[in-house]
Amino acid sequence: MKEKLRLIYQQNKGLTFILPSLMGVSLFFLFPYLNVLIQSFMSPMENEGVSLRNYQQVIDNQAFRLAASNTIKFVGVCLPILLSLSLVFALMLRRSSRVTHWLKTGFLFPMVIPVASIAFFWRLVFEKQGLLNLLVSTIGLTPMDWMNTKEAFWLLVFTYVWKNLGYNLILWLAGLSGISESIYEAAQVDGANQWMIFWRITVPNLLPTFFITTVLSTLNTFKIFREAYLVAGEYPHQSMYLIQHVFNNWFREMDISKMAAGSVLNTGVIMGLILLLQRKWGAMDE
């Protein structure tokens, strides 16, 4: 019997090591999400199945449509800017060894600043009685309520890029450090210029890093709600009304079924984007 148990242990040793983590993930993430999935098909009052009625109500909701379109726009604008800008800085830092240390620290500094402090600073600058309007009025122009204009969306974009630039920079530098210098030296000996080296050597070898960085950056875009909420409250200007605002309002009203259905839709879209990116990355990697 002991020999049999020992054999089973040897065959499933890897599962033994991941079992504590798997139990934690199941207890705090998988099982609660399974309950959310069940609640998305239930009526909150009668506690009975209503098929896809909750999903239909969510899709027909004008606030949800506005928030979904703003979120898609935000992701579509921020990701290219953040990925390209962080890669450019990573390439520059890799070539310049003298300033790498203090520049890395400078890029990572926004990550340690509390979100509440960032929101307080934006309100101090951009509110109707803020510093920017004080400057505008001194030069003879008409002050504006900046947080209630379309420009508020670009403030969110700038905040997201500024706060996540250092994190992506470190990821790119880790990917670049995995490319052997001998490959670059061989390409230079063969007469390749810097542009050819970048597209034929650097980019193909950075595909795994590109996948990880893009996935993490996409997930981080859904955390920008904290800044928008602290700056403008539950009902900000419609240009910065995001998915999380809808969920927050539904949670306050205890509309659990709609919130569950919206969460499932949100998760499905994110997973679809990640799987599509993985498939595209796999095709590029081949």
Side-chain angles (χ1 to χ4, degrees):
M1 184 66 179
K2 291 183 179 180
E3 291 296 329
K4 187 176 181 180
L5 292 175
R6 185 178 302 174
L7 180 61
I8 294 175
Y9 171 75
Q10 292 293 333
Q11 292 175 346
N12 300 276
K13 186 183 295 185
L15 180 61
T16 305
F17 284 107
I18 69 171
L19 187 60
S21 177
L22 181 61
M23 291 175 61
V25 171
S26 300
L27 180 62
F28 294 104
F29 291 96
L30 296 182
F31 293 154
Y33 185 76
L34 180 61
N35 181 61
V36 170
L37 185 62
I38 294 173
Q39 289 296 326
S40 68
F41 295 99
M42 305 292 291
S43 171
M45 303 302 295
E46 294 83 6
N47 197 25
E48 60 182 14
V50 292
S51 187
L52 299 177
R53 189 176 70 187
N54 292 328
Y55 290 93
Q56 185 65 43
Q57 291 177 351
V58 169
I59 294 174
D60 292 340
N61 189 285
Q62 294 296 326
F64 182 82
R65 290 185 179 182
L66 173 63
S69 63
N70 285 339
T71 303
I72 293 173
K73 178 183 177 183
F74 182 79
V75 174
V77 170
C78 287
L79 281 185
I81 295 175
L82 178 62
L83 293 175
S84 57
L85 197 59
S86 58
L87 178 58
V88 169
F89 280 116
L91 292 171
M92 292 172 59
L93 289 178
R94 190 171 185 267
R95 293 182 180 181
S96 180
S97 58
R98 296 180 181 179
V99 295
T100 298
H101 180 70
W102 66 268
L103 269 181
K104 283 182 182 179
T105 305
F107 280 116
L108 289 174
F109 182 72
M111 295 182 61
V112 302
I113 301 178
V115 175
S117 300
I118 298 174
F120 175 77
F121 177 75
W122 293 145
R123 294 182 65 176
L124 181 67
V125 175
F126 293 101
E127 275 194 337
K128 194 170 184 179
Q129 305 298 329
L131 297 177
L132 182 58
N133 278 334
L134 179 62
L135 177 62
V136 168
S137 61
T138 57
I139 61 177
L141 299 178
T142 304
M144 296 176 57
D145 188 4
W146 298 97
M147 298 310 301
N148 286 316
T149 62
K150 293 182 179 180
E151 284 72 17
F153 174 81
W154 296 104
L155 174 62
L156 277 185
V157 172
F158 174 79
T159 303
Y160 170 80
V161 174
W162 173 72
K163 191 169 181 61
N164 292 277
L165 185 63
Y167 182 68
N168 281 26
L169 177 68
I170 298 301
L171 294 177
W172 285 124
L173 286 174
L176 289 170
S177 64
I179 305 176
S180 176
E181 289 291 338
S182 60
I183 302 178
Y184 290 111
E185 295 173 358
Q188 291 174 352
V189 170
D190 291 338
N193 56 37
Q194 293 298 322
W195 189 250
M196 293 177 61
I197 290 175
F198 174 75
W199 283 109
R200 299 297 180 87
I201 297 177
T202 304
V203 171
N205 283 279
L206 282 180
L207 286 179
T209 306
F210 171 76
F211 173 72
I212 295 173
T213 306
T214 305
V215 170
L216 293 177
S217 299
T218 303
L219 295 177
N220 285 334
T221 56
F222 290 86
K223 299 178 182 179
I224 198 66
F225 159 75
R226 297 172 298 179
E227 288 83 348
Y229 184 82
L230 289 173
V231 170
E234 297 176 349
Y235 296 99
H237 187 265
Q238 65 176 10
S239 64
M240 53 190 294
Y241 189 73
L242 305 176
I243 284 289
Q244 294 89 339
H245 284 98
V246 181
F247 290 165
N248 179 74
N249 295 330
W250 284 345
F251 182 79
R252 185 189 59 187
E253 297 170 2
M254 297 302 293
D255 200 342
I256 304 300
S257 296
K258 282 186 180 179
M259 188 166 61
S263 300
V264 173
L265 290 174
N266 192 37
T267 304
V269 171
I270 295 175
M271 289 300 298
L273 290 174
I274 293 175
L275 292 175
L276 181 63
L277 180 62
Q278 184 179 27
R279 182 176 180 181
K280 183 65 176 178
W281 169 74
M284 293 171 63
D285 192 32
E286 294 175 1

